[in-house]
Amino acid sequence: MRVLIPGGAGYVGSVLTPWLLAAGHKVTVYDKFWFGSGGLPDNGSLTVINADVRDRDAFAKACEGQEAVIYLAGITSNDLCVREPELAESVNIKATIYAPEIAKAAGVKRYIYASSVAGYAGGDTPAKETQALGHPTPYALGKLCGEGALSGFTNSVIVPATRPENE
């Protein structure tokens, strides 16, 4: 499968990308590398695009020919979100909202959005999506906006990432 990963060099992407490559997928990492390279492997099935998700034309071009998008892009540091609110809004909210539309227009059939437990009132125990929303941080607000934007897709299925109760 041909998979595009915006944010593929980040915290989650740096683990997911090698795993997908090892499983035989052709992976394109689309990342601005603000937080480093993520130690991406040298692999003939890996394409790396150094670009910003706010560049709609570049993102649309990267989506061409892809079968799936696993959207991981975002400013994950809440401190940076507080210091640079315009950056956080443009990356974590605005780009997250228009990226699925761009991917759909390019013919991408599968779109996976990685959300976060950050928006839920969790405390010391594992949070559940049935819990009330907490007092979201700027980072969490972007994740919640992404969930809301995707819920408007007519063919979307939102599957919570959960772990077994006895784990």
Side-chain angles (χ1 to χ4, degrees), residues 3-84:
V3 182
L4 174 67
I5 308 176
Y11 181 72
V12 174
S14 63
V15 175
L16 178 63
T17 297
W19 186 86
L20 289 171
L21 291 167
H25 300 287
K26 301 223 180 279
V27 177
T28 300
V29 167
Y30 184 99
D31 204 301
K32 192 60 183 154
F33 301 100
W34 287 330
F35 306 109
S37 70
L40 294 173
D42 185 16
N43 185 303
S45 293
L46 175 64
T47 302
V48 177
I49 300 172
N50 185 344
D52 191 324
V53 291
R54 297 174 296 172
D55 183 339
R56 293 179 192 213
D57 293 334
F59 185 69
K61 184 173 179 173
C63 286
E64 292 173 6
Q66 301 292 339
E67 296 172 87
V69 170
I70 302 175
Y71 195 88
L72 304 176
I75 306 297
T76 58
S77 164
N78 197 59
D79 289 341
L80 181 56
C81 290
V82 170
R83 281 194 316 272
E84 301 284 342

Side-chain angles (χ1 to χ4, degrees), residues 125-128 160-167:
T125 60
K128 296 185 179 189
T162 59
R163 63 173 123 167
E165 291 294 324
N166 57 0
E167 190 176 281

